């Protein structure tokens, strides 16, 4: 997925007064896995459910965490890639949570529940759908953008790994070495699936959510890459 022009991201680099700590846990498998609740500090089960999809939502004016809290308070399943940063303000070090990608909220639900959250919950009146501009529904409109469970599992794995070199690709020109998909077989990023690209003179694996963003791992050696069917 290419990065939307109106999406802001962190630059992936920490200055002398800021240390980033990605929070989360790496899921064990795609069939049923646990992802650490990034906001509340507890583990939540995320498993495939018939009729459910991951809906991509936009939360305006920096209200991603507020949306996450609200959806979960209503019993919904949501995910926002977050990292914890220590910032120095007025001589004091404070810990704060920041979204990995600004405005982005993922909701795992049925179509009916997704529309209720976005259209009928007053506390979430700042949420809107991302739309899939490559599809047209029977009504002639673009449907809400959704992500498969498998792709979302992969995305959650990567955005949960603590590594300052994991970054959202925005202004960088990404040249993929081939159209082949690979799986990382060793190291911190073991299990991540994506395409190999040459970035900053290093081979890195890029995970793409079509229409939303591209996220790159840190350097991955060639011996740790396994080609898989596309």
């Amino acid at each position: 997925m290419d990065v939307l022009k109106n999406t802001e991201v962190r630059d992936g680099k920490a200055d002398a007064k800021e240390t980033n700590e990605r929070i989360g846990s790496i899921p064990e498998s795609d069939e049923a896995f646990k992802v650490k609740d990034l906001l509340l500090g507890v583990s939540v089960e995320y498993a495939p459910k018939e009729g459910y999809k991951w809906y991509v939502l936009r939360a305006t004016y920096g209200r991603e965490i507020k949306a996450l809290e609200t959806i979960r308070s209503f019993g919904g399943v949501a995910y926002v890639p977050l990292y914890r940063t220590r910032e120095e303000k007025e001589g004091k070090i404070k810990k704060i949570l920041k979204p990995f990608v600004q405005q982005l909220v993922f909701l795992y639900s049925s179509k009916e529940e997704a529309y209720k959250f976005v259209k009928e919950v007053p506390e979430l009146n700042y949420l809107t759908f991302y739309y899939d501009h490559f599809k047209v529904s029977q009504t002639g409109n673009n449907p809400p953008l959704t992500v498969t469970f498998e792709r979302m599992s992969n995305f959650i794995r990567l955005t949960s790994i603590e590594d300052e070199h994991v970054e959202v690709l925005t202004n960088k020109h990404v040249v993929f070495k081939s159209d082949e998909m690979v799986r990382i077989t060793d190291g911190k990023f073991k299990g991540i699936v994506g395409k190999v690209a040459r970035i900053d003179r290093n081979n890195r694996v890029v995970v793409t959510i079509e229409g939303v963003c591209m996220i790159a791992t840190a350097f991955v050696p060639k011996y740790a890459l396994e080609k898989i069917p596309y």
Side-chain angles (χ1 to χ4, degrees), residues 162-184:
E162 296 182 24
D163 191 303
E164 63 177 322
H165 298 293
V166 173
E167 62 176 319
V168 177
L169 304 176
T170 51
N171 299 323
K172 292 184 178 180
H173 181 56
V174 180
V175 178
F176 291 104
K177 301 191 72 172
S178 73
D179 201 41
E180 295 177 317
M181 297 294 289
V182 300
R183 178 184 290 111
I184 301 175

mmCIF file of all heavy atoms in Angstrom, residues 162-184:
data_model
loop_
_atom_site.group_PDB
_atom_site.id
_atom_site.type_symbol
_atom_site.label_atom_id
_atom_site.label_comp_id
_atom_site.label_asym_id
_atom_site.label_seq_id
_atom_site.Cartn_x
_atom_site.Cartn_y
_atom_site.Cartn_z
ATOM 1 N N GLU A 162 9.947 -4.163 19.046
ATOM 2 C CA GLU A 162 10.698 -3.004 19.525
ATOM 3 C C GLU A 162 12.011 -2.885 18.760
ATOM 4 O O GLU A 162 12.951 -3.629 19.006
ATOM 5 C CB GLU A 162 10.968 -3.135 21.025
ATOM 6 C CG GLU A 162 9.703 -3.138 21.877
ATOM 7 C CD GLU A 162 10.018 -3.226 23.353
ATOM 8 O OE1 GLU A 162 11.138 -2.826 23.738
ATOM 9 O OE2 GLU A 162 9.162 -3.696 24.115
ATOM 10 N N ASP A 163 12.051 -1.953 17.825
ATOM 11 C CA ASP A 163 13.261 -1.710 17.046
ATOM 12 C C ASP A 163 13.152 -0.323 16.429
ATOM 13 O O ASP A 163 12.227 -0.059 15.658
ATOM 14 C CB ASP A 163 13.423 -2.765 15.946
ATOM 15 C CG ASP A 163 14.803 -2.710 15.293
ATOM 16 O OD1 ASP A 163 15.170 -1.631 14.780
ATOM 17 O OD2 ASP A 163 15.499 -3.742 15.306
ATOM 18 N N GLU A 164 14.089 0.546 16.751
ATOM 19 C CA GLU A 164 13.997 1.925 16.283
ATOM 20 C C GLU A 164 14.150 2.058 14.773
ATOM 21 O O GLU A 164 13.829 3.103 14.201
ATOM 22 C CB GLU A 164 15.061 2.802 16.966
ATOM 23 C CG GLU A 164 16.491 2.400 16.642
ATOM 24 C CD GLU A 164 17.496 3.344 17.287
ATOM 25 O OE1 GLU A 164 17.218 4.555 17.337
ATOM 26 O OE2 GLU A 164 18.546 2.868 17.750
ATOM 27 N N HIS A 165 14.611 0.999 14.099
ATOM 28 C CA HIS A 165 14.816 1.069 12.657
ATOM 29 C C HIS A 165 13.574 0.654 11.861
ATOM 30 O O HIS A 165 13.552 0.807 10.642
ATOM 31 C CB HIS A 165 16.011 0.205 12.254
ATOM 32 C CG HIS A 165 17.296 0.655 12.879
ATOM 33 N ND1 HIS A 165 17.905 1.845 12.564
ATOM 34 C CD2 HIS A 165 18.066 0.073 13.838
ATOM 35 C CE1 HIS A 165 19.008 1.982 13.280
ATOM 36 N NE2 HIS A 165 19.126 0.918 14.058
ATOM 37 N N VAL A 166 12.568 0.130 12.549
ATOM 38 C CA VAL A 166 11.292 -0.141 11.879
ATOM 39 C C VAL A 166 10.648 1.209 11.594
ATOM 40 O O VAL A 166 10.499 2.038 12.485
ATOM 41 C CB VAL A 166 10.366 -0.995 12.768
ATOM 42 C CG1 VAL A 166 8.985 -1.117 12.131
ATOM 43 C CG2 VAL A 166 10.965 -2.367 12.994
ATOM 44 N N GLU A 167 10.272 1.435 10.345
ATOM 45 C CA GLU A 167 9.741 2.762 10.017
ATOM 46 C C GLU A 167 8.678 2.712 8.930
ATOM 47 O O GLU A 167 8.652 1.804 8.101
ATOM 48 C CB GLU A 167 10.867 3.696 9.563
ATOM 49 C CG GLU A 167 11.579 3.250 8.307
ATOM 50 C CD GLU A 167 12.616 4.255 7.836
ATOM 51 O OE1 GLU A 167 12.330 5.469 7.891
ATOM 52 O OE2 GLU A 167 13.698 3.826 7.421
ATOM 53 N N VAL A 168 7.800 3.701 8.975
ATOM 54 C CA VAL A 168 6.825 3.895 7.919
ATOM 55 C C VAL A 168 7.518 4.626 6.779
ATOM 56 O O VAL A 168 8.222 5.611 6.990
ATOM 57 C CB VAL A 168 5.626 4.723 8.428
ATOM 58 C CG1 VAL A 168 4.635 4.978 7.295
ATOM 59 C CG2 VAL A 168 4.937 3.999 9.572
ATOM 60 N N LEU A 169 7.327 4.129 5.573
ATOM 61 C CA LEU A 169 7.978 4.727 4.412
ATOM 62 C C LEU A 169 7.076 5.802 3.808
ATOM 63 O O LEU A 169 5.948 5.525 3.422
ATOM 64 C CB LEU A 169 8.284 3.651 3.366
ATOM 65 C CG LEU A 169 9.135 2.484 3.863
ATOM 66 C CD1 LEU A 169 9.279 1.440 2.767
ATOM 67 C CD2 LEU A 169 10.502 2.964 4.323
ATOM 68 N N THR A 170 7.585 7.011 3.742
ATOM 69 C CA THR A 170 6.782 8.101 3.203
ATOM 70 C C THR A 170 7.455 8.708 1.983
ATOM 71 O O THR A 170 7.083 8.438 0.856
ATOM 72 C CB THR A 170 6.566 9.180 4.278
ATOM 73 O OG1 THR A 170 7.838 9.546 4.846
ATOM 74 C CG2 THR A 170 5.646 8.675 5.372
ATOM 75 N N ASN A 171 8.456 9.520 2.233
ATOM 76 C CA ASN A 171 9.085 10.246 1.134
ATOM 77 C C ASN A 171 10.180 9.458 0.423
ATOM 78 O O ASN A 171 10.702 9.892 -0.597
ATOM 79 C CB ASN A 171 9.668 11.569 1.652
ATOM 80 C CG ASN A 171 8.589 12.460 2.235
ATOM 81 O OD1 ASN A 171 7.478 12.503 1.724
ATOM 82 N ND2 ASN A 171 8.917 13.170 3.310
ATOM 83 N N LYS A 172 10.551 8.318 0.993
ATOM 84 C CA LYS A 172 11.623 7.533 0.387
ATOM 85 C C LYS A 172 11.130 6.809 -0.861
ATOM 86 O O LYS A 172 10.012 6.280 -0.889
ATOM 87 C CB LYS A 172 12.182 6.518 1.392
ATOM 88 C CG LYS A 172 12.924 7.182 2.547
ATOM 89 C CD LYS A 172 13.548 6.140 3.449
ATOM 90 C CE LYS A 172 14.320 6.802 4.579
ATOM 91 N NZ LYS A 172 14.948 5.826 5.470
ATOM 92 N N HIS A 173 11.970 6.790 -1.873
ATOM 93 C CA HIS A 173 11.631 6.069 -3.100
ATOM 94 C C HIS A 173 11.967 4.602 -2.878
ATOM 95 O O HIS A 173 13.125 4.230 -2.691
ATOM 96 C CB HIS A 173 12.433 6.623 -4.277
ATOM 97 C CG HIS A 173 12.119 5.947 -5.581
ATOM 98 N ND1 HIS A 173 10.836 5.891 -6.087
ATOM 99 C CD2 HIS A 173 12.905 5.292 -6.467
ATOM 100 C CE1 HIS A 173 10.856 5.243 -7.240
ATOM 101 N NE2 HIS A 173 12.094 4.862 -7.486
ATOM 102 N N VAL A 174 10.936 3.753 -2.892
ATOM 103 C CA VAL A 174 11.122 2.340 -2.594
ATOM 104 C C VAL A 174 11.234 1.555 -3.895
ATOM 105 O O VAL A 174 10.341 1.604 -4.742
ATOM 106 C CB VAL A 174 9.948 1.790 -1.762
ATOM 107 C CG1 VAL A 174 10.150 0.313 -1.466
ATOM 108 C CG2 VAL A 174 9.806 2.589 -0.476
ATOM 109 N N VAL A 175 12.335 0.849 -4.055
ATOM 110 C CA VAL A 175 12.545 0.009 -5.221
ATOM 111 C C VAL A 175 12.610 -1.441 -4.757
ATOM 112 O O VAL A 175 13.546 -1.838 -4.054
ATOM 113 C CB VAL A 175 13.838 0.376 -5.972
ATOM 114 C CG1 VAL A 175 14.045 -0.555 -7.157
ATOM 115 C CG2 VAL A 175 13.794 1.825 -6.433
ATOM 116 N N PHE A 176 11.609 -2.223 -5.129
ATOM 117 C CA PHE A 176 11.594 -3.625 -4.735
ATOM 118 C C PHE A 176 12.550 -4.413 -5.624
ATOM 119 O O PHE A 176 12.619 -4.199 -6.831
ATOM 120 C CB PHE A 176 10.183 -4.195 -4.848
ATOM 121 C CG PHE A 176 9.228 -3.644 -3.825
ATOM 122 C CD1 PHE A 176 8.285 -2.689 -4.182
ATOM 123 C CD2 PHE A 176 9.281 -4.067 -2.514
ATOM 124 C CE1 PHE A 176 7.409 -2.174 -3.245
ATOM 125 C CE2 PHE A 176 8.412 -3.558 -1.562
ATOM 126 C CZ PHE A 176 7.475 -2.607 -1.930
ATOM 127 N N LYS A 177 13.283 -5.349 -5.014
ATOM 128 C CA LYS A 177 14.261 -6.131 -5.761
ATOM 129 C C LYS A 177 13.583 -7.102 -6.719
ATOM 130 O O LYS A 177 14.149 -7.467 -7.749
ATOM 131 C CB LYS A 177 15.184 -6.875 -4.788
ATOM 132 C CG LYS A 177 15.944 -5.941 -3.853
ATOM 133 C CD LYS A 177 17.027 -6.663 -3.089
ATOM 134 C CE LYS A 177 18.195 -7.022 -3.981
ATOM 135 N NZ LYS A 177 19.336 -7.562 -3.219
ATOM 136 N N SER A 178 12.366 -7.518 -6.386
ATOM 137 C CA SER A 178 11.570 -8.363 -7.274
ATOM 138 C C SER A 178 10.134 -8.315 -6.773
ATOM 139 O O SER A 178 9.828 -7.692 -5.760
ATOM 140 C CB SER A 178 12.088 -9.804 -7.281
ATOM 141 O OG SER A 178 11.750 -10.459 -6.073
ATOM 142 N N ASP A 179 9.264 -9.002 -7.481
ATOM 143 C CA ASP A 179 7.857 -9.052 -7.067
ATOM 144 C C ASP A 179 7.589 -10.249 -6.169
ATOM 145 O O ASP A 179 6.446 -10.525 -5.815
ATOM 146 C CB ASP A 179 6.963 -9.105 -8.312
ATOM 147 C CG ASP A 179 5.541 -8.656 -8.011
ATOM 148 O OD1 ASP A 179 5.384 -7.676 -7.260
ATOM 149 O OD2 ASP A 179 4.598 -9.305 -8.504
ATOM 150 N N GLU A 180 8.641 -10.956 -5.791
ATOM 151 C CA GLU A 180 8.485 -12.162 -4.985
ATOM 152 C C GLU A 180 8.243 -11.829 -3.521
ATOM 153 O O GLU A 180 8.779 -10.864 -2.991
ATOM 154 C CB GLU A 180 9.730 -13.037 -5.098
ATOM 155 C CG GLU A 180 9.964 -13.595 -6.493
ATOM 156 C CD GLU A 180 11.243 -14.390 -6.569
ATOM 157 O OE1 GLU A 180 12.259 -13.936 -6.006
ATOM 158 O OE2 GLU A 180 11.223 -15.463 -7.188
ATOM 159 N N MET A 181 7.418 -12.670 -2.898
ATOM 160 C CA MET A 181 7.175 -12.542 -1.468
ATOM 161 C C MET A 181 8.174 -13.411 -0.709
ATOM 162 O O MET A 181 8.542 -14.499 -1.175
ATOM 163 C CB MET A 181 5.754 -12.987 -1.124
ATOM 164 C CG MET A 181 4.659 -12.137 -1.755
ATOM 165 S SD MET A 181 4.634 -10.434 -1.113
ATOM 166 C CE MET A 181 4.026 -10.723 0.563
ATOM 167 N N VAL A 182 8.591 -12.929 0.454
ATOM 168 C CA VAL A 182 9.531 -13.684 1.278
ATOM 169 C C VAL A 182 9.030 -13.733 2.717
ATOM 170 O O VAL A 182 8.236 -12.898 3.149
ATOM 171 C CB VAL A 182 10.945 -13.062 1.252
ATOM 172 C CG1 VAL A 182 11.506 -13.038 -0.156
ATOM 173 C CG2 VAL A 182 10.938 -11.659 1.864
ATOM 174 N N ARG A 183 9.521 -14.736 3.424
ATOM 175 C CA ARG A 183 9.267 -14.844 4.862
ATOM 176 C C ARG A 183 10.611 -14.803 5.577
ATOM 177 O O ARG A 183 11.574 -15.468 5.159
ATOM 178 C CB ARG A 183 8.544 -16.140 5.204
ATOM 179 C CG ARG A 183 8.307 -16.309 6.720
ATOM 180 C CD ARG A 183 7.673 -17.637 7.041
ATOM 181 N NE ARG A 183 6.284 -17.707 6.589
ATOM 182 C CZ ARG A 183 5.856 -18.460 5.603
ATOM 183 N NH1 ARG A 183 6.723 -19.220 4.923
ATOM 184 N NH2 ARG A 183 4.599 -18.480 5.261
ATOM 185 N N ILE A 184 10.693 -14.026 6.634
ATOM 186 C CA ILE A 184 11.929 -13.951 7.414
ATOM 187 C C ILE A 184 11.987 -15.171 8.325
ATOM 188 O O ILE A 184 11.032 -15.459 9.057
ATOM 189 C CB ILE A 184 11.988 -12.646 8.227
ATOM 190 C CG1 ILE A 184 11.914 -11.443 7.275
ATOM 191 C CG2 ILE A 184 13.255 -12.582 9.070
ATOM 192 C CD1 ILE A 184 11.836 -10.105 7.980
#
